[in-house]
Amino acid sequence: MILCTECYIHRGNRVLLMHRTKKQNDINAGKWIGVGGKLMEGESPEECVRREAMEETGLELDELSLRGLVSFVYDHAQTVHVFLYTAQSAQGEPIECDEGDLAWVEEERMGDLEMWAGDRVFLERMKRPGFFEMKLEYEGGQLVKVTQR
């Protein structure tokens, strides 16, 4: 089991996304995702998402909200539990990232980007208020089951 965070940083009607184009052997290669990463020993999810956002974007997060917990269950890899956050603002300007290319994307254009099928499901759920839990099951890289609470 792996614990991770992911954050979608907003500025007006745009969201900061990372196009994963730079890491070798990246399961997310070619996909557009939020920023985040694995929790370190002794670190809370909020501490992790703030650290990862600073490392990957150079931005200091403001108005951080925990929106959901998503469990990714794979037939070929460990289960990954992701604490999903949104930030309604952030201080600073994005820096060069060694994992991918950062871009401010208009929210209505996010559906045009190459993303995991499960990401589309939880991003749609994030448009509604409130905390949620979701389980996304993948077989052979394909989303086969979604369970929501």
Side-chain angles (χ1 to χ4, degrees):
M1 173 179 65
I2 300 170
L3 298 175
C4 293
T5 61
E6 188 167 354
C7 188
Y8 291 86
I9 304 167
H10 294 258
R11 275 203 180 149
N13 68 340
R14 298 180 303 154
V15 179
L16 186 62
L17 298 176
M18 181 185 300
H19 189 205
R20 296 295 290 247
T21 56
K22 298 180 182 179
K23 273 179 82 171
Q24 294 291 329
N25 303 314
D26 185 357
I27 190 171
N28 294 307
K31 304 280 195 257
W32 289 84
I33 64 173
V35 298
K38 294 179 186 174
L39 273 81
M40 296 181 358
E41 182 64 34
E43 189 174 49
S44 73
E46 182 175 338
E47 290 168 334
C48 175
V49 76
R50 289 183 183 282
R51 174 185 54 76
E52 287 284 349
M54 179 59 75
E55 290 173 5
E56 293 179 357
T57 70
L59 298 176
E60 185 175 334
L61 302 178
D62 295 329
E63 300 180 49
L64 193 60
S65 298
L66 177 60
R67 298 298 317 282
L69 176 60
V70 179
S71 298
F72 292 85
V73 179
Y74 302 102
D75 59 345
H76 65 282
Q78 286 185 303
T79 296
V80 179
H81 300 286
V82 179
F83 296 89
L84 283 178
Y85 287 86
T86 56
Q88 295 308 311
S89 64
Q91 302 300 314
E93 290 300 321
I95 59 171
E96 183 77 19
C97 179
D98 62 1
E99 295 183 20
D101 299 310
L102 297 169
W104 290 103
V105 178
E106 292 181 19
E107 287 185 68
E108 53 273 358
R109 286 200 51 244
M110 288 174 62
D112 300 335
L113 303 176
E114 186 175 345
M115 294 182 169
W116 290 104
D119 289 16
R120 292 183 190 287
V121 174
F122 72 67
L123 285 168
E124 188 62 32
R125 172 55 184 88
M126 286 175 68
K127 291 179 182 177
R128 300 192 318 260
F131 181 85
F132 65 95
E133 289 184 50
M134 183 178 291
K135 181 178 175 182
L136 302 170
E137 296 179 57
Y138 282 85
E139 290 180 10
Q142 300 298 313
L143 181 63
V144 295
K145 186 175 179 184
V146 176
T147 307
Q148 297 185 58
R149 289 184 205 82

